[in-house]
Amino acid sequence: MAKDYSFDVVCRTDLAEAANAVNQAAKEIRTRYDFKGSKSSVTLADGTLTLLGDDDFKLRLVREIVNGKLVKRGISLKNLTEGKKEPAAGGMVRQVLTFKNGIEAELAKDIVKRIKGSGIKVQAKINGDELRVSGKDKDALQATIAFLKDQDLPAELQFVNYR
């Protein structure tokens, strides 16, 4: 009897690493000379980053610092959903960024369609906010993982529960 193999495709952000990156960024903002006397800041709460800048230029600098720290900690910038820049109190500018956790329905459908179109003999099924890919052959699963890694998707995917 042939054994079925499977793995799950998920989109998760390690919020502990994100918190470390935000703490490093906040420390750099407090100590950098070009931010002297500035009220610019970055905070993380419930998977949401809030960036504050004195003006658009300072906000962009804060964003660059945060991006650099996130990338160093292995967090893909694809997993950030960008909010609009909006005016904040005291003439400041605020931008809210949200970390993606889970694969959105539209993206899940697109991934399933891509897997079916690839010709690899596996089945892909949407399971809530993740995908389950199963097949009779371990090589087919590994080919599917390689295929998905090569795709230019709007989210960083992880492959878990390989069995």
Side-chain angles (χ1 to χ4, degrees):
M1 188 170 124
K3 182 176 181 333
D4 261 3
Y5 299 99
S6 68
F7 66 89
D8 294 334
V9 181
V10 298
C11 175
R12 294 189 188 133
T13 303
D14 184 348
L15 291 179
E17 283 297 328
N20 289 336
V22 167
N23 289 339
Q24 286 179 333
K27 184 177 180 186
E28 183 172 328
I29 290 166
R30 282 193 308 269
T31 58
R32 265 180 51 168
Y33 180 76
D34 52 344
F35 282 102
K36 202 171 193 79
S38 166
K39 294 186 190 119
S40 300
S41 68
V42 57
T43 54
L44 173 68
D46 302 324
T48 303
L49 272 175
T50 305
L51 309 179
L52 265 176
D54 296 326
D55 50 41
D56 277 343
F57 178 72
K58 286 276 201 281
L59 184 69
R60 195 166 51 250
L61 280 178
V62 169
R63 177 71 193 267
E64 286 173 11
I65 293 168
V66 170
N67 286 354
K69 301 299 181 190
L70 289 171
V71 168
K72 271 188 184 164
R73 293 246 170 216
I75 296 173
S76 173
L77 299 180
K78 285 182 176 181
N79 285 358
L80 276 176
T81 305
E82 202 168 303
K84 285 198 294 242
K85 293 177 184 174
E86 56 192 29
M92 297 184 71
V93 185
R94 175 188 305 121
Q95 186 174 25
V96 176
L97 308 172
T98 311
F99 286 107
K100 292 179 187 170
N101 269 320
I103 300 173
E104 294 152 359
E106 286 299 312
L107 179 58
K109 288 176 190 168
D110 181 42
I111 293 170
V112 168
K113 197 170 89 180
R114 289 179 190 220
I115 290 172
K116 286 182 177 170
S118 72
I120 303 170
K121 292 190 180 341
V122 294
Q123 292 79 44
K125 191 172 70 178
I126 299 173
N127 195 358
D129 63 355
E130 52 188 52
L131 298 174
R132 166 73 45 95
V133 177
S134 54
K136 303 259 183 252
D137 183 13
K138 278 185 180 179
D139 293 339
L141 292 184
Q142 288 172 339
T144 305
I145 290 174
F147 171 75
L148 288 175
K149 283 183 178 177
D150 285 344
Q151 299 297 302
D152 186 26
L153 296 166
E156 182 73 24
L157 302 177
Q158 293 89 30
F159 308 99
V160 297
N161 296 337
Y162 189 91
R163 49 178 164 256

